[in-house]
Amino acid sequence: MNDLGETHLRTWTLRMMALLAADSLDQLAWMGERELETKDLVEEAELLCRFFEAHAEHEALEAEDLRNLRVIGRRLGKVDVTCHASLWGNALTADPAWDDIRSLTRRFLHTMLGDWRQPLPRPVHPPEDDH
């Protein structure tokens, strides 16, 4: 992987981890009126975790950061399957797994950056209807 690709992937991962580490009220505010499905969020976060594990030989992350990311990936894989079909806003309040994930991602960010409090990614708004 080239440096530009690694930089983009690292930024994408840190933004996702910042979102997962945020307080639940901040996560809900970040979503606003959007309907984000839990399965989409879980799949994207798991993909990032697997990608870094597969590219560990490129040393894109320190060993401890990679271990923390593996733990996050495993925990995401255990999110209640019934919550996968729901909206993430509903899952945040119904599934205690999100408290565990929040704690794990905070540890990852603290170890990697020195503080888990990071700016949330800019929300992607759905395209407006031109009709």
Side-chain angles (χ1 to χ4, degrees), residues 16-31 41-42 45 68 71-73 75-76 79 88-111 115-118 120:
M16 173 61 75
M17 294 302 121
L19 178 59
L20 294 176
D23 293 324
S24 58
L25 291 177
D26 292 334
Q27 291 167 331
L28 291 168
W30 178 85
M31 281 185 287
L41 181 77
V42 168
N68 287 336
V71 171
I72 293 167
R75 186 62 186 103
L76 284 164
V79 168
W88 189 42
N90 297 337
L92 280 172
T93 58
D95 188 352
W98 293 105
D99 292 331
D100 293 341
I101 293 165
R102 188 173 297 108
S103 176
L104 293 169
T105 54
R106 286 177 178 182
R107 181 173 60 200
F108 169 78
L109 290 168
H110 188 270
T111 300
D115 190 356
W116 68 265
R117 289 172 210 80
Q118 301 297 316
L120 295 181

Side-chain angles (χ1 to χ4, degrees), residues 14-57:
L14 292 175
R15 287 179 181 161
M16 173 61 75
M17 294 302 121
L19 178 59
L20 294 176
D23 293 324
S24 58
L25 291 177
D26 292 334
Q27 291 167 331
L28 291 168
W30 178 85
M31 281 185 287
E33 298 296 319
R34 283 176 290 131
E35 296 183 349
L36 177 62
E37 291 190 26
T38 303
K39 72 174 182 64
D40 294 336
L41 181 77
V42 168
E43 287 172 3
E44 186 170 335
E46 282 181 313
L47 174 67
L48 289 169
C49 293
R50 284 192 310 267
F51 188 85
F52 267 107
E53 190 165 347
H55 289 85
E57 70 275 3

